[in-house]
Amino acid sequence: MLIGRTKEQKILREAYASEYSQFVAVYGRRRVGKTFLVRETFNYQFTFEHSGVAHGNNRVQLTAFRDSLIDAGMAKTAIPANWMEAFALLRQFIRQSPEGKKVIFIDEIPWMDTPRSNFVSALEYFWNAFASARKDILLIICGSATSWIINKVLKNHGGLHNRVTCRLHIQPFSLNECEKYVDSKGMSLSRYDLLELYMVLGGIPFYWSMLQRGDSVAQNIDKLIFNENGQLHGEFNELYDSLFKNPEQYISVVMALGKVGSGMTRDEIIQACHLDGNGKTTRILEDLQECGFIKKVPTYRKTNNAIYMLIDNFTLFYLKFIKENKANDEQYWSHSYLSPVRSAWVGLAFEKVCFQHISQIKQALGISGVVTNVYSWRVGPSANGESGAQIDMLIDRADNMVNICEMKFSKQEYVVTKEVAMSLHHKAQRFVQDKGKGMSVCLTMITVNGIAKTAYWGDIHQSITAEDLFME
């Protein structure tokens, strides 16, 4: 059963109903549910469906393409010598197909573009010389290698320039969608358990599909990740290998960001990863953003000094607990519930979940209809000796208000101590001195279960809980 994806389905159906041929690119990270979305939307009924072969050479790709044509109903034919011949066969098959809209679905298309195969040129010719000249074709290309689709198709400067009529970037599930998915599986999990699972698995539907009913959160995580036969035990390397042809530098960047919870500037990343400050670095950062691994948060009113932070939940979990796990303990997570390293991780992981649910935070604050921008902000020590300050999430509002958001994880109600209150007031004071003169400041606390009504709880102007993050 397809959970969520209402907007995406509507877009695909509108493309199908269009008077003219449409070229749709569906992309997003591995396991996010791209193929399932397309198949469910069209009830698994395609004029032609094909999937590229992982790590297959050009001969293998062409053979598989020919076999898919035969499976679709074409008479047996020889293996095409190249992609121009392969797409000529597809044109011939389409001409022989019954009248009506013809849905051509090519999945994992980046794998088909092997070295020196001229695949992209053949795809250009198929669309420009044939498909776009008709009114009855819906061409859908799909792939996990997001960087390939963006750079070879969406940003193509040749024959495919501006040819894609619709792009669908499939995002991970929100907490709300994960809750609906778990309910559809007949699992009964508290929202606290759902939050913890989200901090580990993120919103990747395939990961959630492997959860076993009747097992606790810890048992599920142990079986999936820490057991050497677990389905996600080797997922990290497979994930980056599937997305990037040369994943080493991409992994280097996420590893550097994994060590700095508050994020790093571009220059700091270049220095930490020994990268050249050129277009290749820009490409790496853009690719990681498009794949949802990192988030670029602009610095308040400084467009050229953004902060990059690791936002992918599974990657953060891997770097904290799997990469350096030398114990080979298949029940590691069950044994680590009270460990200091877990206590440090939950705080950081909760911050990432908050950044993934900005729209829900705005809704809870009652500012969904207000134009806003989310920034980070940092300042060093002042000339008169005041210490520096940093705000990871700052919501700048068009109604002359700024929400300074502090995210704190606690299984019980969070206790605002004197030190925490002083730290927040210091951040607000330094921000007003540096950037916010003439603006009202709202100290906002985002916690799991609210704020305990102790001596300093009244210093917080607005409070949001994890319950609010579950809103649609």
Side-chain angles (χ1 to χ4, degrees):
M1 182 175 67
L2 187 63
I3 301 295
R5 309 302 192 203
T6 305
K7 293 179 180 178
E8 292 85 352
Q9 282 193 296
K10 182 175 182 289
I11 291 170
L12 287 172
R13 287 171 178 149
E14 287 176 348
Y16 180 84
S18 173
E19 180 183 355
Y20 299 96
S21 290
Q22 298 289 307
F23 187 173
V24 180
V26 181
Y27 59 102
R29 57 164 288 173
R30 167 183 163 98
R31 311 294 203 186
V32 80
K34 304 177 297 298
T35 303
F36 187 68
L37 165 67
V38 175
R39 287 175 172 170
E40 284 287 310
T41 301
F42 294 101
N43 197 28
Y44 295 75
Q45 301 298 310
F46 304 102
T47 303
F48 174 71
E49 180 182 10
H50 173 70
S51 179
V53 182
H55 309 299
N57 60 27
N58 194 46
R59 176 74 173 178
V60 169
Q61 303 293 348
L62 288 166
T63 301
F65 192 84
R66 186 279 309 265
D67 292 345
S68 293
L69 281 167
I70 294 173
D71 290 342
M74 188 173 189
K76 289 187 177 181
T77 184
I79 299 170
N82 52 56
W83 283 112
M84 290 298 289
E85 286 189 14
F87 278 103
L89 290 175
L90 179 57
R91 295 199 303 272
Q92 177 184 337
F93 178 72
I94 290 173
R95 291 190 183 102
Q96 297 170 351
S97 299
E99 290 187 6
K101 187 62 65 75
K102 299 162 183 63
V103 183
I104 311 299
F105 178 35
I106 304 178
D107 198 8
E108 297 300 355
I109 194 169
W111 289 339
M112 300 163 68
D113 183 28
T114 57
R116 296 178 297 280
S117 66
N118 293 319
F119 172 79
V120 175
S121 297
L123 177 65
E124 290 174 1
Y125 186 76
F126 170 77
W127 176 256
N128 292 331
F130 176 75
S132 65
R134 300 170 62 107
K135 292 187 174 184
D136 60 349
I137 293 178
L138 172 55
L139 173 62
I140 304 173
I141 65 169
C142 183
S144 296
T146 301
S147 60
W148 186 95
I149 290 183
I150 291 171
N151 296 313
K152 291 292 187 76
V153 179
L154 301 182
K155 294 183 179 179
N156 187 286
H157 296 295
L160 287 179
H161 181 67
N162 284 338
R163 295 300 191 269
V164 171
T165 57
C166 174
R167 58 176 71 186
L168 274 180
H169 187 182
I170 308 304
Q171 300 290 344
F173 276 172
S174 65
L175 278 166
N176 178 273
E177 290 168 320
C178 287
E179 183 175 42
K180 290 178 179 177
Y181 184 74
V182 165
D183 288 344
S184 74
K185 288 169 60 70
M187 300 178 68
S188 180
L189 293 173
S190 69
R191 284 189 163 178
Y192 181 86
D193 284 347
L194 291 170
L195 177 61
E196 181 174 350
L197 281 168
Y198 200 93
M199 290 193 295
V200 177
L201 304 176
I204 307 304
F206 180 78
Y207 297 170
W208 288 76
S209 73
M210 293 182 285
L211 297 174
Q212 294 298 308
R213 186 168 55 180
D215 284 348
S216 68
V217 170
Q219 288 174 317
N220 268 300
I221 292 173
D222 282 332
K223 288 180 180 179
L224 288 174
I225 299 174
F226 291 101
N227 188 301
E228 64 177 15
N229 295 316
Q231 291 172 282
L232 297 181
H233 185 70
E235 175 68 8
F236 179 84
N237 289 328
E238 292 178 12
L239 175 60
Y240 284 85
D241 285 343
S242 72
L243 292 172
F244 310 111
K245 286 190 175 180
N246 299 296
E248 293 78 14
Q249 288 186 315
Y250 294 90
I251 293 174
S252 173
V253 171
V254 298
M255 287 178 63
L257 290 173
K259 297 175 182 177
V260 185
S262 58
M264 304 168 71
T265 65
R266 186 177 187 273
D267 289 342
E268 289 169 341
I269 292 171
I270 290 171
Q271 183 175 359
C273 300
H274 308 291
L275 300 172
D276 295 324
N278 53 22
K280 185 176 181 180
T281 297
T282 300
R283 171 74 60 83
I284 290 171
L285 294 175
E286 288 179 350
D287 288 349
L288 287 170
Q289 288 177 75
E290 290 287 355
C291 291
F293 291 112
I294 68 174
K295 186 177 183 68
K296 181 180 180 180
V297 184
T299 301
Y300 187 74
R301 294 182 180 174
K302 287 185 178 180
T303 56
N304 60 345
N305 195 31
I307 297 294
Y308 295 88
M309 60 177 63
L310 178 61
I311 202 76
D312 182 66
N313 311 68
F314 184 81
T315 298
L316 178 64
F317 186 81
Y318 172 87
L319 296 176
K320 293 292 183 182
F321 298 106
I322 305 172
K323 184 176 182 295
E324 303 300 333
N325 180 23
K326 309 299 183 184
N328 293 321
D329 182 358
E330 294 192 347
Q331 293 181 303
Y332 178 85
W333 199 239
S334 298
H335 296 157
S336 300
Y337 255 64
L338 300 178
S339 68
V341 66
R342 182 186 181 278
S343 298
W345 165 79
V346 292
L348 183 58
F350 181 64
E351 288 184 12
K352 307 309 178 188
V353 174
C354 292
F355 271 100
Q356 292 159 342
H357 290 79
I358 296 293
S359 62
Q360 286 81 3
I361 290 172
K362 289 176 57 179
Q363 189 176 344
L365 291 172
I367 57 172
S368 294
V370 179
V371 177
T372 62
N373 289 295
V374 177
Y375 297 103
S376 65
W377 172 83
R378 60 173 65 170
V379 68
S382 66
N384 60 6
E386 290 181 295
S387 60
Q390 177 167 327
I391 301 170
D392 292 330
M393 183 188 292
L394 187 152
I395 304 177
D396 184 28
R397 298 159 42 174
D399 58 1
N400 204 44
M401 176 77 77
V402 171
N403 287 86
I404 294 176
C405 299
E406 191 81 358
M407 296 153 279
K408 297 292 185 182
F409 185 94
S410 175
K411 194 169 183 178
Q412 288 74 40
E413 289 184 327
Y414 182 77
V415 176
V416 180
T417 63
K418 179 180 179 180
E419 290 73 22
V420 169
M422 290 177 62
S423 174
L424 279 169
H425 285 298
H426 173 69
K427 290 181 180 182
Q429 179 184 353
R430 290 301 318 271
F431 173 75
V432 170
Q433 291 173 348
D434 185 53
K435 296 291 183 185
K437 293 178 181 178
M439 301 187 74
S440 298
V441 172
C442 178
L443 296 180
T444 305
M445 186 76 76
I446 307 173
T447 63
V448 177
N449 287 306
I451 302 172
K453 294 183 179 180
T454 54
Y456 294 95
W457 80 281
D459 288 37
I460 307 303
H461 302 145
Q462 283 187 293
S463 172
I464 297 173
T465 69
E467 287 286 320
D468 296 313
L469 302 182
F470 281 85
M471 292 190 290
E472 291 191 18

